Amino acid sequence: MKTIDELLAEGVKGKRVFVRADLNVPLAEGTITDDGRIRAVQPTIAKLAAAGARVIVASHLGRPKGAPDPAFSLAPAAKRLGELLGADVAFAADTVGDSAKETVAALADGQVAVIENLRFNAGETSKDDAERGAFADQLAELADVYVGDGFGAVHRKHASVFDLPARLPHAAGYLIATEVGVLKKLTDDVKRPYVVVLGGAKVSDKLAVIDELLGKADRILIGGGMAYTFLKALGHEVGISLLQKDQLEKVTEYMERAKATGVELVLPVDVLVSTDFPDLKGKTPADFETVDADKIPADKEGLDIGPRTRELYAAKIADAETVFWNGPVGVFEHPDYANGTKAVAQALVDSSAFTVVGGGDSAAAVRTLGFDENAFGHISTGGGASLEYLEGKTLPGLAALEG
């Protein structure tokens, strides 16, 4: 995989460099609530601009249906990128139309432009190779060189991720190089004990990574909504908690494999429950009951790990040499159910291990809960991409950069 430093050594002054970034940031009424992904790609963009490249930044945001949708415009991200760079960033109101062509043509050496959301064009995500390739051809007309730095999208076989690099000289940006280097530490030469913390709503989202990690991790700590499927598989009442009944057989198989292979699979011993989530107005602390994990009332929903589980998980992390965490262990967006996720994050901070926060909601939680990002070994920008890499899958975007 060619590096951006090799590209810079060849010279990019005056060249139109297409940077496939991941500016898929969360928005609340048009305001960015977490700019982590923009900050992550800033070093690549700044270095290219400083070297005299004419930088064209492209990304997706959200899931528009292949047509323009103002709710998913990249305009706020372009504005924030300009603030971070301390320079004007031009914005094209389309992807490959007149606005994009005119905006790119107007760039001088060292200037940066952002084109509109790639998913406003159906060709970006099409499963039809010809349709996707046709869109990639149009994108290629805008640029001379391609730099892939949108790690959060490398697991997608999309036009700007997979097809476009085949049409232009290409290199990996600093973010992708960092992300891949970190993930290799979790797969190729792992320092042990290796502890994995998995949370999130659905166990089905994590089946493949659990399957792979059962042969690699020393301990797997389970939290979040997915924990209740494990508890149900043990025969426990889980009330109205999140439950995937169709995964009970698979979960049982994984627990049996963990026992047979000596992998310590740790489940909550107590949970915080309520009958009224998400309508919590007027509730008092007395309404938020903590119960043993095998005694969840039939009319209540588990929403966070309890205090004994927090202590247990912190102890299981304390002596680790490597920790990977993906998925909050409770509904951290609500302060009454954030303590479990906060405890996991604090345990990583307190650990002397190499700690990796695996993107997605975990990364958002770390920032939302006020933790210093520098206290962790690495915070990934791609939750899905990180998981698929750990599953051993070939990621289309990385394969394209290696080609």
Side-chain angles (χ1 to χ4, degrees):
M1 188 182 296
K2 187 174 185 177
T3 69
I4 189 172
D5 286 331
E6 291 173 312
L7 179 66
L8 290 165
E10 295 171 359
V12 293
K13 183 176 176 61
K15 292 184 178 180
R16 300 170 301 164
V17 180
F18 188 104
V19 178
R20 198 343 176 152
D22 179 10
L23 308 181
N24 186 27
V25 292
L27 297 171
E29 298 181 357
T31 300
I32 296 171
T33 57
D34 180 0
D35 67 355
R37 283 175 169 162
I38 304 175
R39 287 186 286 110
V41 76
Q42 178 195 352
T44 291
I45 296 169
K47 196 70 174 284
L48 287 166
R54 303 178 182 191
V55 186
I56 306 142
V57 182
S59 176
H60 70 287
L61 191 153
R63 296 180 181 273
K65 306 299 183 181
D69 184 338
F72 298 107
S73 175
L74 278 174
K79 180 182 177 183
R80 180 59 181 146
L81 177 60
E83 292 169 352
L84 292 169
L85 292 171
D88 290 336
V89 170
F91 181 67
D94 56 27
T95 55
V96 291
D98 291 342
S99 180
K101 292 173 184 175
E102 291 166 6
T103 300
V104 171
L107 288 175
D109 294 358
Q111 291 187 330
V112 179
V114 174
I115 63 174
E116 188 54 286
N117 193 333
L118 292 163
R119 291 186 182 175
F120 285 0
N121 190 303
E124 169 67 2
T125 59
S126 176
K127 296 187 184 302
D128 181 82
D129 291 348
E131 184 180 8
R132 218 176 48 247
F135 183 49
D137 287 338
Q138 291 178 291
L139 291 172
E141 291 177 5
L142 297 175
D144 305 304
V145 180
Y146 176 94
V147 172
D149 215 26
F151 180 74
V154 294
H155 59 314
R156 305 296 187 192
K157 192 177 181 180
H158 290 170
S160 65
V161 176
F162 179 75
D163 302 274
L164 185 55
R167 288 157 168 78
L168 295 170
H170 51 267
Y174 292 121
L175 175 60
I176 279 187
T178 297
E179 294 272 16
V180 172
V182 166
L183 289 169
K184 284 183 177 179
K185 291 184 180 180
L186 300 178
T187 54
D188 296 347
D189 187 21
V190 183
K191 293 185 178 180
R192 299 183 180 280
Y194 178 19
V195 177
V196 176
V197 185
L198 295 176
K202 295 181 178 180
V203 68
S204 57
D205 293 340
K206 304 291 195 303
L207 285 177
V209 77
I210 294 172
D211 186 64
E212 186 71 18
L213 289 170
L214 280 173
K216 295 180 178 178
D218 297 297
R219 296 178 199 136
I220 301 176
L221 317 184
I222 302 292
M226 61 185 288
Y228 302 102
T229 301
F230 282 85
L231 293 171
K232 185 68 173 180
L234 290 174
H236 302 325
E237 171 65 61
V238 297
I240 56 174
S241 305
L242 283 173
L243 174 64
Q244 289 187 280
K245 291 182 179 179
D246 60 328
Q247 301 300 334
L248 288 170
E249 184 176 342
K250 179 62 69 174
V251 163
T252 299
E253 175 196 328
Y254 284 166
M255 289 192 289
E256 291 172 352
R257 274 179 55 196
K259 187 175 182 180
T261 57
V263 176
E264 190 177 1
L265 201 154
V266 187
L267 299 175
V269 294
D270 61 345
V271 297
L272 206 61
V273 299
S274 174
T275 56
D276 300 291
F277 184 81
D279 184 17
L280 297 170
K281 292 180 181 179
K283 298 299 175 183
T284 68
D287 295 302
F288 309 116
E289 181 184 0
T290 299
V291 300
D292 290 346
D294 60 352
K295 294 181 175 63
I296 299 174
D299 64 340
K300 295 196 174 184
E301 178 180 7
L303 297 166
D304 195 11
I305 58 173
R308 288 190 291 122
T309 305
R310 290 175 224 150
E311 292 180 7
L312 172 65
Y313 285 12
K316 296 295 183 182
I317 291 168
D319 68 342
E321 289 293 330
T322 304
V323 183
F324 174 74
W325 171 33
N326 181 279
V329 297
V331 188
F332 76 92
E333 297 90 345
H334 191 283
D336 290 303
Y337 304 113
N339 288 328
T341 300
K342 190 180 295 184
V344 170
Q346 188 62 55
L348 265 67
V349 170
D350 293 341
S351 171
S352 60
F354 175 62
T355 57
V356 179
V357 180
D361 287 341
S362 311
V366 163
R367 299 184 183 106
T368 299
L369 297 174
F371 286 90
D372 180 357
E373 294 181 43
N374 295 320
F376 303 89
H378 179 69
I379 298 179
S380 179
T381 58
S386 295
L387 288 177
E388 290 197 16
Y389 189 100
L390 293 182
E391 289 166 18
K393 289 184 178 179
T394 297
L395 306 188
L398 296 185
L401 291 174
E402 290 167 351

